[in-house]
């Protein structure tokens, strides 16, 4: 399909930040027949559908084992518990992520220890991790933010040297690669989310853990069902965190399309870069930086807005009915619920600057070219206005 693209796309056109309807329309027949299969069998919890999805995800990530659970958050908690991490233990992670990254550490009973990010990739800075290691440190939890993998080799070296586990928060990064290997097999355990807006999104909540370690796999499998090893024999206290057969059936249909969708997201990212250049907004809008040894899958396409203009650009887009979002407006170390950890503003300047500067633009796979053009036309408009304000300020 080709689109005619005008320099000024329809000024009245509203552009949603994300629209899941066109994707569903494409695959609706397959999804509904998978759903009907589950209904005709009436086996709704775990079972063959979940085992099949686990095998398919394991193969997709090149992991030996995959274990489905109720959400990405539960995947992180179960992973930490399977590693025996609990009260008195510390887990090193990033302050610039979704809340569940840090809350899962607390839910497991351990303490999150934050380390600042790299300003260009927004990911945990491996050069700062070693200084944060103490005798209580048990694991590192890197987050592959927006769909780009962290710098894993140095993290792996530190982990080996200090005998630490690595739990990847790969919720935004299914299919992302680091030096030819996929997210989910870059540490001890990988954790995924199937929240509907993730790159592989279900029809509700869902999650998965991946690992090459058979003992960890067995422990995660029982932790998701109350620590039951079979026959109501409970060897430890687990959770109720089972994956529904309906979710697995839907996800199996969608997994077949995932790589194609990732390519579309990459295409949109490339196109944004070209349009930014053509419209001359690069002085104010910095596109995401991708390291050469990574495959970025763009769960979010996040730009950095320079010179403190982020909120002005955000308001400008909103008033032009163009969807956009801030991931994330407040760093985790400054969240009220983590006050007792004792962090203060200024502790992690790169994470704090990112909260102030980042802006996510529409980038779902089915984003129409004309909508993307409209986003950039509006950005160009807004940048023009901002430069005018600046010039008047300088002249005054
Ligand atoms: C979505 C997300 C989670 C949590 O996943 P849920 O399935 O919503 O529980 C954890 N970490 C990151 C980075 C996420 O983006």
């Amino acid at each position: 399909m080709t689109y005619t693209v005008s320099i000024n796309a329809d000024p009245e056109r509203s552009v949603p930040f994300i629209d899941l309807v066109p994707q569903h329309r494409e695959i609706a027949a397959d999804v509904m027949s998978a759903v009907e299969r589950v209904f005709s069998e009436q086996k709704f919890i775990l079972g063959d559908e979940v085992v099949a999805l686990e095998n398919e995800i394991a193969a997709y990530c090149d992991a030996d084992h995959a274990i489905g659970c109720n959400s990405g958050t539960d995947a992180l908690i179960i992973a930490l518990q399977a590693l025996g991490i609990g009260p008195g233990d510390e887990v090193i992670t990033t302050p610039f992520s979704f809340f569940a990254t840090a809350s899962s550490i607390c839910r497991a009973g351990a303490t999150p220890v934050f380390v600042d990010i790299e300003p260009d990739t927004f990911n945990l800075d491996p050069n700062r991790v070693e200084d944060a290691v103490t005798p209580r440190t048990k694991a590192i939890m890197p987050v592959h933010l927006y769909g780009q993998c962290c710098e894993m080799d140095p993290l792996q070296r530190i982990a080996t040297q200090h005998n630490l586990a690595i739990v990847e928060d790969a919720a935004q990064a299914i299919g992302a690669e680091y030096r030819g290997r996929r997210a989910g097999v870059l540490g001890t355990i990988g954790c995924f989310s199937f929240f509907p807006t993730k790159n592989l999104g279900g029809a509700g909540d869902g999650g998965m853990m991946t690992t090459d370690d058979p003992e960890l796999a067995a422990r995660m499998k029982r932790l998701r069902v109350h620590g039951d090893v079979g026959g109501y024999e409970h060897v430890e206290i687990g959770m109720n965190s089972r994956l529904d057969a309906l979710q697995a059936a839907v996800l199996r249909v969608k997994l077949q399309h995932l790589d194609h969708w990732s390519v579309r997201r990459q295409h949109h990212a490339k196109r944004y870069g070209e349009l930014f250049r053509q419209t001359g907004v690069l002085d104010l809008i910095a596109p995401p930086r991708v390291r050469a040894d990574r495959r970025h899958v763009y769960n979010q396409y996040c730009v950095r807005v320079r010179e403190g203009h982020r909120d002005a650009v955000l308001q400008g887009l909103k008033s032009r009915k163009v969807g956009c979002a801030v991931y994330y407006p407040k760093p985790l170390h400054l969240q009220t619920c983590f006050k007792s950890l004792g962090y203060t503003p200024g502790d992690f300047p790169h994470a704090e600057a990112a909260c102030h500067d980042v802006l996510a633009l529409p980038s779902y796979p089915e984003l129409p070219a004309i909508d993307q053009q409209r986003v950039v036309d509006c950005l160009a408009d807004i940048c023009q206005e901002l430069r005018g304000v600046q010039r008047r300020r300088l002249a005054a």
Side-chain angles (χ1 to χ4, degrees):
M1 177 153 188
T2 57
Y3 301 92
T4 27
V5 175
S6 68
I7 290 306
N8 272 299
D10 177 4
E12 290 308 303
R13 189 183 178 84
S14 76
V15 177
F17 179 63
I18 182 168
D19 182 0
L20 296 173
V21 173
Q23 181 167 97
H24 177 64
R25 218 181 277 130
E26 269 178 41
I27 58 169
D30 291 345
V31 168
M32 294 326 284
S33 80
V35 166
E36 268 170 30
R37 187 174 68 230
V38 173
F39 271 93
S40 66
E41 305 234 322
Q42 290 289 303
K43 291 176 186 154
F44 291 114
I45 309 270
L46 296 173
D48 294 345
E49 288 288 348
V50 171
V51 171
L53 176 71
E54 288 170 341
N55 291 337
E56 287 161 14
I57 295 278
Y60 184 79
C61 298
D62 196 23
D64 288 350
H65 308 275
I67 299 102
C69 68
N70 224 314
S71 69
T73 306
D74 279 5
L76 294 167
I77 298 170
I78 291 170
L80 292 168
Q81 286 181 339
L83 288 160
I85 292 170
D89 298 333
E90 295 175 354
V91 178
I92 294 172
T93 193
T94 166
F96 189 59
S97 179
F98 178 61
F99 178 68
T101 303
S103 70
S104 64
I105 297 168
C106 299
R107 276 275 160 239
T111 305
V113 172
F114 296 113
V115 162
D116 210 356
I117 57 170
E118 303 171 326
D120 59 338
T121 65
F122 305 112
N123 279 332
L124 188 65
D125 184 345
N127 295 319
R128 299 169 193 271
V129 167
E130 194 142 31
D131 285 345
V133 175
T134 75
R136 290 166 173 253
T137 310
K138 291 287 153 55
I140 308 170
M141 186 183 283
V143 180
H144 307 313
L145 201 70
Y146 306 145
Q148 174 167 221
C149 288
C150 285
E151 182 73 84
M152 293 304 292
D153 283 353
L155 287 182
Q156 193 62 68
R157 271 196 294 277
I158 295 165
T160 305
Q161 196 178 334
H162 298 273
N163 195 24
L164 311 175
I166 294 181
V167 177
E168 298 173 72
D169 181 343
Q172 301 182 3
I174 191 161
E177 291 177 10
Y178 173 79
R179 303 196 170 171
R181 290 163 64 227
R182 290 219 161 135
V185 294
L186 303 171
T188 321
I189 300 174
C191 297
F192 294 96
S193 164
F194 304 128
F195 186 82
T197 60
K198 302 290 158 97
N199 285 20
L200 181 62
D205 278 313
M208 192 155 300
M209 296 78 71
T210 50
T211 187
D212 284 341
D213 183 321
E215 280 170 30
L216 285 175
R219 190 163 184 195
M220 291 192 284
K221 227 166 174 168
R222 69 183 193 226
L223 279 168
R224 77 174 167 183
V225 288
H226 302 289
D228 188 349
V229 288
Y232 297 99
E233 185 65 32
H234 299 269
V235 295
E236 62 182 323
I237 300 169
M239 300 163 69
N240 171 9
S241 186
R242 302 167 297 215
L243 185 62
D244 288 345
L246 276 170
Q247 294 305 335
V250 171
L251 290 163
R252 289 181 68 199
V253 171
K254 296 181 93 173
L255 180 59
Q256 294 171 30
H257 300 271
L258 180 60
D259 278 322
H260 168 67
W261 291 334
S262 296
V263 168
R264 300 233 31 153
R265 289 175 186 272
Q266 290 164 338
H267 170 83
H268 298 327
K270 188 159 170 265
R271 182 90 183 116
Y272 267 126
E274 285 160 7
L275 292 171
F276 290 165
R277 231 180 348 266
Q278 284 168 22
T279 49
V281 298
L282 287 169
D283 56 332
L284 286 178
I285 308 291
R289 298 269 288 276
V290 187
R291 297 278 169 87
D293 56 0
R294 319 279 150 98
R295 178 192 193 226
H296 196 323
V297 292
Y298 294 102
N299 179 239
Q300 299 298 344
Y301 180 85
C302 264
V303 300
R304 187 187 276 275
V305 182
R306 298 189 215 266
E307 293 175 36
H309 288 314
R310 198 269 313 277
D311 289 337
V313 172
L314 176 92
Q315 285 315 317
L317 288 175
K318 291 245 149 106
S319 70
R320 287 165 177 83
K321 293 187 285 183
V322 170
C324 58
V326 175
Y327 302 115
Y328 296 90
K330 191 174 197 176
L332 297 175
H333 67 284
L334 300 181
Q335 294 289 345
T336 309
C337 64
F338 295 136
K339 217 174 180 151
S340 63
L341 297 175
Y343 293 103
T344 54
D347 282 346
F348 306 111
H350 293 308
E352 290 166 31
C355 290
H356 188 245
D357 292 351
V358 293
L359 187 63
L361 301 176
S363 87
Y364 59 99
E366 300 75 21
L367 175 68
I370 191 165
D371 279 13
Q372 195 175 17
Q373 179 77 44
R374 171 85 185 133
V375 174
V376 181
D377 286 345
C378 290
L379 277 177
D381 242 28
I382 296 161
C383 288
Q384 196 67 29
E385 278 177 19
L386 289 169
R387 288 187 206 105
V389 170
Q390 225 158 23
R391 230 174 287 123
R392 280 197 297 282
R393 223 181 265 142
L394 286 174

